[in-house]
Amino acid sequence: MIIGITGGIGSGKSVIAKQLREMGYAVYDTDSEAKRLIVEDAAVHKQMIQLFGSDVYKDGIYQTAFVAQRVFTDKSLLAQLNAIVHPAVRADILRWATMQDSPSFRKGLGVGLCFVECAILYQAGFDTLCDKVVAVTAPEDIRLKRVIARDHSTIDKVRARMRAQEADKDLRRANLVINNDGNTPIPILCEEIIQLLKK
């Protein structure tokens, strides 16, 4: 069973995903895997050069800041970037999920459940790959404090990122909403998630 994990910036979805890994569950991190595919997948590599030019890679290293600067002010370019990366990630999730279902890859507690962590799960259409979706949330003031401490950003910039993600819409579509306000220890929160998913 594939479970999507999503949530807005500062909600703590990555902390929950990390704990699930420590509990023995397989977790696919779409952010890191997308970055890997941009470098390693030959078809993606070729399309990225066609879209952004040869400056998108320097000595084989993907120039994240260069691309971010280009797409920040150009929604059309961002859509073209997503049209390259999202299908590649989708195919990779399916490959990965098939491996998790193989007896040789089953380990310990994680049998039967695997997780896909993605901030833009619905926007990318990855929710259609999931049997259920868990949305992680937290009060806005807590999310702001977390992100400002983590990224050393300003409150206005963080609020702008929150608005852009439209995380509130995701909460209404999820099968399970988890409040990660810091009052419940993460291991206990994850145990609760597993129990609720197994019902």
Side-chain angles (χ1 to χ4, degrees), residues 9 145-154 158 161:
I9 184 171
K145 287 177 185 175
R146 287 172 179 168
V147 180
I148 290 168
R150 183 190 71 195
D151 298 348
H152 308 291
S153 188
T154 66
V158 176
R161 289 167 70 186

Side-chain angles (χ1 to χ4, degrees), residues 27-124:
V27 181
Y28 185 102
D29 176 358
T30 56
D31 279 351
S32 62
E33 296 300 334
K35 290 172 185 172
R36 175 183 62 80
L37 291 167
I38 284 170
V39 174
E40 296 180 4
D41 187 292
V44 172
H45 194 279
K46 181 179 178 181
Q47 291 176 80
M48 291 293 288
I49 291 173
Q50 289 173 344
L51 182 60
F52 293 104
S54 58
D55 287 341
V56 72
Y57 299 101
K58 284 186 180 176
D59 299 322
I61 299 170
Y62 174 57
Q63 300 301 299
T64 308
F66 168 77
V67 173
Q69 186 178 19
R70 295 282 306 279
V71 302
F72 182 73
T73 55
D74 190 336
K75 289 185 178 180
S76 172
L77 198 59
L78 176 60
Q80 291 177 75
L81 170 63
N82 289 341
I84 293 170
V85 177
H86 290 175
V89 173
R90 183 184 185 88
D92 200 56
I93 290 171
L94 289 170
R95 176 201 58 78
W96 170 86
T98 301
M99 290 172 63
Q100 306 314 310
D101 199 41
S102 168
S104 62
F105 280 83
R106 293 177 182 170
K107 294 181 181 178
L109 297 171
V111 174
L113 291 176
C114 59
F115 296 84
V116 174
E117 177 197 350
C118 184
I120 55 168
L121 190 80
Y122 290 104
Q123 295 88 332

Side-chain angles (χ1 to χ4, degrees), residues 122 130-135 170-177 197:
Y122 290 104
C130 301
D131 298 288
K132 291 183 180 179
V133 174
V134 176
D170 296 347
L171 297 180
R172 294 193 292 269
R173 300 171 69 180
N175 301 99
L176 182 61
V177 177
L197 288 171

